[in-house]
């Protein structure tokens, strides 16, 4: 189902467990928040076939207040493209709830290569940091620029959207930028005469060159 959960907000006080899974070709990442009987919240994470380990303890009231502010009730249950690549990011976010009458309720959101607008805010709020995203980030702007200049078809994630920059047919230094495999978009969004023009292009009101530290999950 692609609709929204009309009763999600009503069940927030009764959240007992939160599960987040992200699966990519670079590896799988698992994150859980478990609310204990004393109302403390233990955060656990693991990568691939390793064991879960604790990454922090929080207060239940703090976590629930943050979840309310995320307005997850307005999220669609599923985000995906009509045609999607086989090397994308498959993610799911699940809330398990148990109310005072011992009624159990589960809310599950997910997607493939498509994300809610405030997906990054959710990761930050819950302190979810996929290991592979940390590994596959650039060490400098020059490193990112070099891969673009070499002429690779470079795919990367920025602000929750999967982008593709690739050589164009209009000159050895020219580039195309597109939203990767989105059938609702044109073949390319913008064409650039060279790498500098590409780096000066604005995504969400900010030049790409000023967002290189936020680029994750790149591959070519």
């Amino acid at each position: 189902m692609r609709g929204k959960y009309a009763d999600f907000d009503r069940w927030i006080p009764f959240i007992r467990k939160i599960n987040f899974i992200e699966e990519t070709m670079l590896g799988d990442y698992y994150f859980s928040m478990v609310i204990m009987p004393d109302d403390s919240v233990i955060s656990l994470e693991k990568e691939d076939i390793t064991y879960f380990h604790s990454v922090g303890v929080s207060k239940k009231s703090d976590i629930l207040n943050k979840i309310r502010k995320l307005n997850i009730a307005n999220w669609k249950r599923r985000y995906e493209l009509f045609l999607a690549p086989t090397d994308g990011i498959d993610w799911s976010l699940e809330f398990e709830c148990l109310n005072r009458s011992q009624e159990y309720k589960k809310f599950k959101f997910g997607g493939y290569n498509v994300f809610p607008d405030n997906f990054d805010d959710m990761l930050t709020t819950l302190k979810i940091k996929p290991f592979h995203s940390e590994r596959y980030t650039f060490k400098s702007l020059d490193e990112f620029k070099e891969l673009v200049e070499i002429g690779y078809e470079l795919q990367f994630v920025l602000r929750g959207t999967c982008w593709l920059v690739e050589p164009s047919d209009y000159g050895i230094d020219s580039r195309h930028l597109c939203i990767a495999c989105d059938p609702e978009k044109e073949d390319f969004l913008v064409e650039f005469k060279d790498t500098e023009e590409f780096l000066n292009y604005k995504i969400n009101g900010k030049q790409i060159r000023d967002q290189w530290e936020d680029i994750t999950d790149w591959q070519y």
Side-chain angles (χ1 to χ4, degrees), residues 145-176:
K145 181 179 177 181
E146 181 180 8
L147 283 181
V148 176
E149 288 182 333
I150 288 173
Y152 288 129
E153 293 184 357
L154 179 63
Q155 183 173 301
F156 59 91
V157 175
L158 177 61
R159 304 300 179 190
T161 299
C162 191
W163 301 89
L164 175 68
V165 59
E166 59 184 354
S168 75
D169 300 326
Y170 297 94
I172 191 169
D173 294 324
S174 61
R175 298 289 181 269
H176 285 160

Side-chain angles (χ1 to χ4, degrees), residues 63-107:
I63 295 299
L64 297 187
N65 285 334
K66 289 177 179 179
I67 291 173
R68 289 189 183 94
K69 292 178 181 178
L70 287 170
N71 203 19
I72 291 176
N74 280 331
W75 283 18
K76 294 185 293 186
R77 302 186 192 190
R78 183 72 184 171
Y79 294 80
E80 61 186 345
L81 304 171
F82 176 69
L83 294 173
T86 57
D87 58 352
I89 299 172
D90 195 352
W91 65 273
S92 66
L93 178 65
E94 186 178 87
F95 298 86
E96 297 185 41
C97 309
L98 187 69
N99 67 14
R100 296 184 183 90
S101 300
Q102 298 300 299
E103 295 174 314
Y104 176 79
K105 181 84 171 183
K106 181 187 290 187
F107 299 91

Side-chain angles (χ1 to χ4, degrees), residues 112-195:
Y112 188 80
N113 256 22
V114 185
F115 310 86
D117 290 338
N118 63 339
F119 185 80
D120 287 344
D121 293 335
M122 180 276 296
L123 295 180
T124 300
T125 294
L126 299 182
K127 298 182 179 179
I128 298 174
K129 298 179 179 179
F131 293 121
H132 68 267
S133 292
E134 293 179 355
R135 288 203 310 267
Y136 290 87
T137 54
F138 290 104
K139 298 180 178 65
S140 67
L141 174 61
D142 287 339
E143 183 183 15
F144 177 50
K145 181 179 177 181
E146 181 180 8
L147 283 181
V148 176
E149 288 182 333
I150 288 173
Y152 288 129
E153 293 184 357
L154 179 63
Q155 183 173 301
F156 59 91
V157 175
L158 177 61
R159 304 300 179 190
T161 299
C162 191
W163 301 89
L164 175 68
V165 59
E166 59 184 354
S168 75
D169 300 326
Y170 297 94
I172 191 169
D173 294 324
S174 61
R175 298 289 181 269
H176 285 160
L177 175 69
C178 65
I179 297 178
C181 301
D182 189 339
E184 297 181 359
K185 302 293 183 181
E186 299 294 333
D187 289 339
F188 60 91
L189 296 177
V190 189
E191 185 178 323
F192 308 96
K193 64 181 181 181
D194 54 34
T195 304

